[in-house]
Amino acid sequence: MGLVAFAGKLAPGKTDEWRQFVDEMHGPRQAEFAASRARLRIKKERAFLQPGRDGDTVIYTFTRHGSPAVALPPLFRDLSASKDPFDVWYKQRMKDLLGVDFEAKGETPPAELLFRMGPRRVRPPEPAPSVQSA
């Protein structure tokens, strides 16, 4: 699974509007949000609000199967192509609030992971095939 991350600066005075957007996705539009993420094969999604002296920044992550270089271009392509009413609304809100344009042509490069600390989830080994004697 690949973690895809990007950051966007909120326009001045848009922090409360961002919070309302998040509340709407996880409140009245929760079923549409879940259906969208299933359709787009997004396994996890997180948004962090980072206050700053020069304005607030949203740090956004998606987890989707594949490495970031493999997962991000199709994610943006699939979201861009979607005409689903929730996805259309979501794309417009992301553009209005963060300036993220999923409709823009060209490839959006994933953020570069510079380091990782901590254990990775390790899957148990597959059992060895049994050898049958004749």
Side-chain angles (χ1 to χ4, degrees), residues 49-68:
L49 181 62
Q50 180 65 57
R53 280 184 263 161
D54 61 340
D56 294 340
T57 299
V58 172
I59 303 157
Y60 214 94
T61 68
F62 295 102
T63 302
R64 194 175 193 207
H65 287 294
S67 69

Side-chain angles (χ1 to χ4, degrees), residues 2 6 10-12 15 18 22 24 32 41-43 45 53 55 69 73 75 82 85 89 102 110 113 119 121 124:
F6 62 90
L10 282 166
T15 300
W18 171 261
V22 170
E24 192 168 346
E32 295 169 273
R41 299 182 327 275
I42 295 170
K43 301 299 177 200
E45 188 169 356
R53 280 184 263 161
L75 172 60
S82 178
W89 171 81
F102 290 99
L113 176 64
R121 184 188 302 175

Side-chain angles (χ1 to χ4, degrees), residues 60-106:
Y60 214 94
T61 68
F62 295 102
T63 302
R64 194 175 193 207
H65 287 294
S67 69
V70 170
L72 183 62
L75 172 60
F76 274 50
R77 180 198 64 222
D78 295 349
L79 190 52
S80 174
S82 178
K83 301 298 180 212
D84 178 82
F86 176 86
D87 293 344
V88 170
W89 171 81
Y90 173 84
K91 290 183 288 188
Q92 188 60 53
R93 297 304 293 144
M94 291 292 280
K95 186 175 181 180
D96 293 346
L97 293 166
L98 294 180
V100 175
D101 188 356
F102 290 99
E103 305 286 337
K105 300 296 181 215

